[in-house]
Amino acid sequence: MKLSQRMINGFCSSINPADGQQDMISKIDDLEIHTTFRKCTDLVYPDSVVLSAAATTWFPSAPLSIFNFLIDEKCRPQWDVITDIGWVREAGRIGFHSGNCISLLEAFSTGQNKLILQESWTDPSGALVVYCPVPLPAIKAVMSGEDPSILSLSPSGFVISGAMSGGALVTVLLQMSENSATPGSMSLESANLLNTCVGITIDKLKAALS
């Protein structure tokens, strides 16, 4: 739960970074993507830089329908382009409600398995789905009682809210980090790659929900 709280805090600070530098606003078709470079505050990699790319767009689907689709592990391969997975199962959960919970997901892909820490939350005001890949040795150490600050996190996720005209407004935030980098040295190639992933994630999500 402490690790998940760190993940949520990191996600929310990246949505509106107080110490970030807004370096780029780009467009893919009609989608405006905001890219931010900021110095990492993580104790594990203090010299790294976090690259965040976020975009908000309208969906015709109801907010709860989008939320339920995102938290359904069977549907995850239809939209998750960052973790590159074949299929997913829930390995564990804290919380009785299927929507408001912390989950540890086991993702299977060609040649390797991955763990994904995810927290989801919904109420009448909106919803959050935040997730982050985590290494198996690190998550075992945390579950054995070690300090969760030993694990570096670059969380991604979704913010979902109702729209005045119906449907939903969905903000997608994806993140990546580069070690031994400075905000000025982060490559344009990395930014373009993450921007492309944001666009593809939104396209995949819209296609699946239609």
Side-chain angles (χ1 to χ4, degrees):
M1 291 178 70
K2 289 180 180 179
L3 186 61
S4 185
Q5 185 61 53
R6 271 189 61 216
M7 179 179 70
I8 293 290
N9 289 344
F11 176 82
C12 292
S13 65
S14 297
I15 285 282
N16 187 22
D19 58 347
Q21 177 183 354
Q22 191 74 46
D23 278 343
M24 184 165 56
I25 298 177
S26 57
K27 295 197 74 172
I28 298 179
D29 297 326
D30 294 329
L31 189 67
E32 186 176 272
I33 303 176
H34 294 252
T35 307
T36 302
F37 305 86
R38 61 182 175 85
K39 191 73 175 177
C40 182
T41 57
D42 203 308
L43 297 177
V44 183
Y45 300 109
D47 296 325
S48 65
V49 169
V50 177
L51 170 62
S52 304
T56 300
T57 189
W58 179 81
F59 280 71
S61 305
L64 187 58
S65 297
I66 300 172
F67 176 76
N68 287 335
F69 180 82
L70 288 172
I71 64 172
D72 186 344
E73 64 268 19
K74 296 187 295 297
C75 299
R76 193 179 193 101
Q78 298 183 53
W79 59 263
D80 193 341
V81 299
I82 292 293
T83 46
D84 185 27
I85 49 182
W87 60 280
V88 183
R89 72 175 185 91
E90 188 178 62
R93 177 197 296 176
I94 299 174
F96 295 105
H97 189 277
S98 59
N100 296 337
C101 64
I102 300 169
S103 300
L104 189 61
L105 307 174
E106 191 172 9
F108 300 87
S109 60
T110 304
Q112 61 178 330
N113 297 343
K114 304 174 184 179
L115 289 178
I116 301 171
L117 180 67
Q118 176 174 288
E119 182 165 346
S120 55
W121 165 87
T122 182
D123 74 3
S125 67
L128 282 175
V129 179
V130 181
Y131 62 93
C132 184
V134 289
L136 179 58
I139 202 70
K140 283 184 174 180
V142 170
M143 293 174 70
S144 298
E146 291 197 27
D147 186 350
S149 64
I150 65 171
L151 184 55
S152 179
L153 299 173
S154 295
S156 300
F158 303 85
V159 180
I160 308 165
S161 59
M164 293 288 289
S165 57
L169 291 175
V170 178
T171 298
V172 180
L173 172 80
L174 300 181
Q175 294 196 94
M176 63 181 292
S177 61
E178 289 190 3
N179 297 334
S180 301
T182 64
S185 69
M186 288 285 281
S187 67
L188 183 62
E189 182 181 359
S190 296
N192 288 336
L193 173 62
L194 204 58
N195 289 346
T196 299
C197 287
V198 169
I200 292 174
T201 299
I202 289 174
D203 287 344
K204 282 179 168 288
L205 188 56
K206 285 187 172 181
L209 289 166
S210 66

